[in-house]
Amino acid sequence: MEEKKSEINGHAGHKSPLPAVSIKSEKNSFKNRLMVFLKRNLLVILTVSGVLVGVGFGMMVRNMNLTRAQMTYFAFPGEMLLRMLKMIILPLVVCSLISGAASLDTRSLGKLGGIAVSYFLVTTLIASSIGVALAFIIKPGVGAGALNTNNLGLEGVSANKETADSFLDLARNLFPSNLVAAAFRSYVTDYKTILVGNGTNGTINYQKVPYGTDADGMNILGLVLFAMVFGVALRKLGAEGEELIRFFNAFNEATMVLVSWIMWYVPFGIMFLVGSKIVEMEDVVLLVTSLGKYIFASILGHIIHGGIVLPLIYFGFTRANPFSFLSGLITPFTTAFATCSSSATLPTMMKCVEENNGVDKRISRFILPIGATVNMDGAAIFQCVAAVFIAQLNNVELNAGQIFTILVTATASSVGAAGIPAGGIITIAIILEAIGLPTHDLSLMLAVDWIVDRTTTVVNVEGDALGAGILHHINEQEMKKRREQEQHQEEQELQEVKVEVVANVKAEEETSPLVTHLNQGDSSSHETLDKDGVESVL
């Protein structure tokens, strides 16, 4: 009977269904976790799938032998993605930099700006060194002397710009004469030949004279500098500038909403971007066999810099796992891989850095637009490899002075490299001019640029993102120190106040017999009350 009672009461009765309940709960928890994971990473999964589907789709369509016109139609959805991303760059860069510079006080802005510039310069210099070292180890140009433009049926690239003029153009673009024109045009030096007179032996003397022209393409460098200075000026205005700062903040938030909408089109657009590139490829086998060493050296440099050097720098500053930080940025990396444009990746990068990695909006909106313009680690690697490759191709032995010139020129000129597809080719021309090498082999770089440019852009945007993470960490540490100092000061002030109060009370007790007499009376009355209370309870 007792056993039955115990079974009825539930002591033995619940033994059999327990495992079933636990299995059900495990299934439910697994389903819930899977749903949460899919919700959180749906965009990443779709974007990566878009690239893979695009490769397969491109290989299928490639066999259909499309005409040039049909290829253009096939690439249309991808072109639309690029146009959307480029459309959002101007308001995003200008508004985010103005609101970012206005939200930081001048001292911290100067300090963060100094750290950011140092980080960009050091990482670019390391990247240039890696590129030069790999080019000398792998020797991509040795034995490729017979290789020229005609073998591959490529068009020549003309680049007869002086190195001094290239750097002067950089300075001129920093201060655009017309801000509205800077949104779609930039300053470029061109040359004209003028007659200066006849020589002594009857020859006619000509001179090459530089003159300024406008080239199509946003002068993002000038806009970045103006936006930063304008933001600092608004901060200086104080209460008068508050309304305009709020306007730019609201403009920036609205732009980020537009970015979040565009991001859902990214997987579809990327599929056609990658697919159309595969369809457009000429003889890939010939290109890879003839320029395989150059491609390998460049991509290996990107893997070393992006996979080892940059994460180590991030770990050195923050003591945090860099790969967990990078795992939240798969969507912008995929966008960078597909679009080959740092500027086009900026909108998605900003959103993911803030939402997935919790970087302060003021930091990300200040540093990322500057990074997209100035920081070109990946470009520095492939430019240095290309310069040494062309030297080896022409059987030119580079001395220590020329190697140093390559490093400095690549680091400095990557600042002005346009954040657009094939923007680095123009920069290689500057390096070649600086070390006195011919520029007619640049078309070889252009032939494989669509391969190398993908990993280049990924490394460029990775450097920007990790820089934002480092600055966020430094800013957090400073804030923490400041809070601790404030708390310490408050505690000291409180202690001083307590000491003063105690001293005053003692002084009053000693000097006033009336107070002491009253206190004694109060204490005796309290005792009688307590006794009454105890008696009533009993």
Side-chain angles (χ1 to χ4, degrees):
M1 281 294 287
E2 279 178 11
E3 279 177 19
K4 280 180 185 178
K5 272 181 187 176
S6 68
E7 280 175 15
I8 291 160
N9 289 336
H11 292 290
H14 280 295
K15 276 183 183 175
S16 55
L18 264 173
V21 170
S22 63
I23 289 162
K24 274 185 184 179
S25 63
E26 275 177 23
K27 278 184 181 178
N28 288 338
S29 66
F30 176 73
K31 268 187 184 178
N32 291 338
R33 274 183 295 179
L34 187 67
M35 289 303 289
V36 168
F37 175 79
L38 285 173
K39 271 184 185 176
R40 195 178 292 163
N41 299 296
L42 182 62
L43 194 61
V44 177
I45 294 161
L46 286 172
T47 310
V48 174
S49 306
V51 173
L52 299 174
V53 172
V55 171
F57 198 30
M59 296 300 271
M60 277 168 55
V61 176
R62 191 176 162 78
N63 299 324
M64 292 164 69
N65 299 321
L66 300 180
T67 61
R68 288 277 173 190
Q70 286 170 332
M71 279 183 193
T72 312
Y73 300 144
F74 179 68
F76 178 72
E79 187 194 340
M80 290 304 290
L81 172 66
L82 271 177
R83 290 179 79 87
M84 282 182 205
L85 290 170
K86 284 176 182 175
M87 170 190 74
I88 215 86
I89 289 167
L90 180 66
L92 190 69
V93 167
V94 173
C95 296
S96 66
L97 268 174
I98 290 172
S99 62
S103 62
L104 295 163
D105 63 282
T106 319
R107 198 168 113 252
S108 62
L109 182 73
K111 191 175 182 183
L112 289 173
I115 294 166
V117 170
S118 311
Y119 167 79
F120 291 152
L121 281 174
V122 169
T123 52
T124 311
L125 198 59
I126 292 168
S128 304
S129 309
I130 290 168
V132 170
L134 282 173
F136 276 107
I137 293 164
I138 295 167
K139 295 183 170 66
V142 173
L147 187 71
N148 58 35
T149 304
N150 301 331
N151 289 44
L152 299 167
L154 305 168
E155 294 173 10
V157 177
S158 61
N160 59 345
K161 201 171 176 183
E162 298 290 330
T163 311
D165 286 325
S166 300
F167 286 107
L168 286 174
D169 282 356
L170 195 65
R172 288 185 187 110
N173 281 322
L174 273 171
F175 302 96
S177 57
N178 186 335
L179 268 177
V180 177
F184 53 89
R185 281 204 187 120
S186 51
Y187 184 96
V188 176
T189 298
D190 207 347
Y191 301 93
K192 59 185 173 186
T193 311
I194 58 163
L195 180 70
V196 252
N198 295 330
T200 50
N201 55 354
T203 55
I204 299 166
N205 290 336
Y206 288 99
Q207 229 176 44
K208 191 169 80 166
V209 180
Y211 71 97
T213 57
D214 286 325
D216 284 337
M218 194 191 298
N219 176 11
I220 198 153
L221 212 58
L223 292 171
V224 160
L225 185 69
F226 171 78
M228 277 176 62
V229 176
F230 191 69
V232 173
L234 283 177
R235 172 105 185 166
K236 285 280 178 190
L237 278 177
E240 288 178 11
E242 283 296 323
E243 284 184 25
L244 206 49
I245 291 169
R246 276 204 298 274
F247 164 76
F248 281 112
N249 282 339
F251 203 128
N252 200 18
E253 292 300 329
T255 313
M256 292 309 284
V257 171
L258 289 177
V259 169
S260 65
W261 293 345
I262 291 168
M263 279 173 77
W264 287 105
Y265 181 74
V266 167
F268 184 71
I270 275 180
M271 185 171 77
F272 284 93
L273 261 180
V274 174
S276 63
K277 246 326 164 211
I278 288 168
V279 172
E280 285 167 20
M281 287 189 307
E282 299 294 331
D283 194 348
V284 189
V285 178
L286 178 64
L287 271 180
V288 171
T289 49
S290 52
L291 293 166
K293 272 187 174 181
Y294 163 71
I295 296 165
F296 173 69
S298 299
I299 291 172
L300 182 64
H302 293 147
I303 291 167
I304 291 168
H305 190 70
I308 300 167
V309 176
L310 287 175
L312 275 176
I313 292 170
Y314 177 83
F315 177 75
F317 274 98
T318 63
R319 291 286 183 272
N321 184 358
F323 298 104
S324 63
F325 182 88
L326 295 172
S327 64
L329 306 171
I330 294 167
T331 304
F333 289 156
T334 316
T335 311
F337 184 82
T339 59
C340 298
S341 170
S342 305
S343 303
T345 313
L346 182 62
T348 52
M349 177 58 81
M350 232 178 231
K351 191 160 179 60
C352 290
V353 157
E354 288 168 15
E355 289 183 4
N356 299 350
N357 292 334
V359 172
D360 191 344
K361 284 181 180 181
R362 294 173 302 172
I363 302 288
S364 65
R365 290 173 190 188
F366 168 69
I367 197 70
L368 289 176
I370 300 171
T373 317
V374 173
N375 188 33
M376 299 281 171
D377 294 355
I381 290 170
F382 101 87
Q383 285 158 13
C384 289
V385 171
V388 178
F389 168 72
I390 288 169
Q392 290 169 352
L393 203 65
N394 293 286
N395 297 316
V396 175
E397 284 287 328
L398 294 171
N399 57 38
Q402 285 173 313
I403 292 165
F404 181 73
T405 308
I406 289 173
L407 289 173
V408 173
T409 315
T411 306
S413 58
S414 67
V415 170
I420 54 166
I425 295 292
I426 305 140
T427 321
I428 298 171
I430 300 170
I431 298 167
L432 295 177
E433 287 284 343
I435 57 172
L437 282 174
T439 55
H440 56 75
D441 291 319
L442 269 179
S443 52
L444 295 172
M445 308 295 96
L446 208 55
V448 291
D449 191 62
W450 65 270
I451 302 172
V452 177
D453 209 13
R454 297 182 188 282
T455 50
T456 298
T457 313
V458 171
V459 174
N460 286 347
V461 298
E462 183 195 347
D464 300 344
L466 289 174
I470 289 167
L471 277 183
H472 174 70
H473 176 77
I474 290 167
N475 190 50
E476 287 284 301
Q477 293 293 102
E478 290 242 325
M479 295 278 278
K480 198 177 175 184
K481 274 183 187 175
R482 210 175 286 173
R483 274 195 227 106
E484 283 173 2
Q485 281 176 353
E486 283 173 5
Q487 278 180 352
H488 186 63
Q489 280 178 350
E490 280 176 12
E491 281 171 9
Q492 277 185 332
E493 284 171 9
L494 279 168
Q495 279 176 349
E496 284 171 11
V497 169
K498 275 180 186 175
V499 168
E500 284 175 12
V501 168
V502 168
N504 289 339
V505 168
K506 280 183 178 176
E508 281 176 6
E509 281 177 356
E510 284 169 8
T511 53
S512 174
L514 185 67
V515 171
T516 51
H517 179 70
L518 281 169
N519 285 345
Q520 282 170 4
D522 287 345
S523 61
S524 61
S525 62
H526 276 298
E527 279 173 17
T528 52
L529 278 168
D530 288 342
K531 279 177 185 176
D532 291 340
V534 170
E535 281 172 9
S536 65
V537 169
L538 288 166

